[in-house]
Amino acid sequence: MHAFPARATTIPLPGARPEPGTPIPEPRFRTSIHDLRPVQSLWMLVASLCFALMGALVKVASAEYSAAQIVFFRGLFGVLAIGGFALASGRTLATPVPRMHLTRGLVGFSALVLWYQAIASLPLATATTLNYTSPLFIALFTFAVLREREDWRLGAAILAGFAGVALVLRPTVAAESLADGLFGLASGALSAAAYLQVRHLARLGEPEWRIVFFFSLTMSVATGLWMLVAGAQPLTPGGAAILFGVGLLATLAQLALTRAYARGRTLAASSLAYATVAFAAVIGWIAWDDTLGFGAWIGIALVVASGVAATVVSAAPARGGGAP
């Protein structure tokens, strides 16, 4: 659903959790906050705010529509917007790897449905934090399975991050909403898988706009079939406006995110994107009077700090005794 600069060939551990399956540009090493130009910082904060507002609209829409129905209209918006762009610019939608697009699309679709379901039932900041565990899952996979980065600092970041997840989930378990908390966590894991699949597609030369188009198409078809079986609520003028807002905000967020990555340092931009969690917390407090316990806030801080640390350590040059 999201378009990144055409030079994107790898997936750093993104602090920015655009929606599942989004390509992320290649990182540059030795990034510090001083490398960020003011315009670049502003665009990343705009993207974070739009993503948080999108999550808020998803929560509002969930009172009337199922997660599948919300995802359907989100995907339809992407199909129409990107398909129109391709037709207007004379680009072809034909792809030499349709099966790979289908697999990636189904994984990303599952992640998005789970995330929207978590948003419907959990405090907005909690659902957002759980979805932002995708960098930890990518780090865990590369560290424990692929052994691409055997660095104790990465291992420590992973352990600290999942300790934070446990703290975030504690009030969820007490409220007898464990399933919703696990949905949010599963969305983070599936988002990580989708990011890795997108990296492979990008390495095969697939442009980011085509990756996003086929993800949106897969998502729309899958949820459309789902609604044929399970049924759907009829659209009201107010509901249609909310669903349109979900698609519009996601698109605006992606445009701002793309500008931020294009104008500045990828690692620093990824770290700043965790501002989405803070925006979600403020919006949840204002709109729904969401209040989280002290332990939950400590958990959120651990997840954010660990995600940033995992991103920096994974992209930095190896030190003695670190990755081979």
Side-chain angles (χ1 to χ4, degrees), residues 234-250:
L235 284 180
T236 63
I242 292 172
L243 294 176
F244 176 81
V246 170
L248 178 62
L249 280 169

Side-chain angles (χ1 to χ4, degrees), residues 21 23 101 104 198 201-202 206-215:
H101 280 288
R104 201 280 306 191
V198 166
L201 282 167
E206 285 292 272
E208 64 281 352
W209 62 266
R210 189 186 294 156
I211 295 174
V212 170
F213 173 82
F214 280 107
F215 173 53

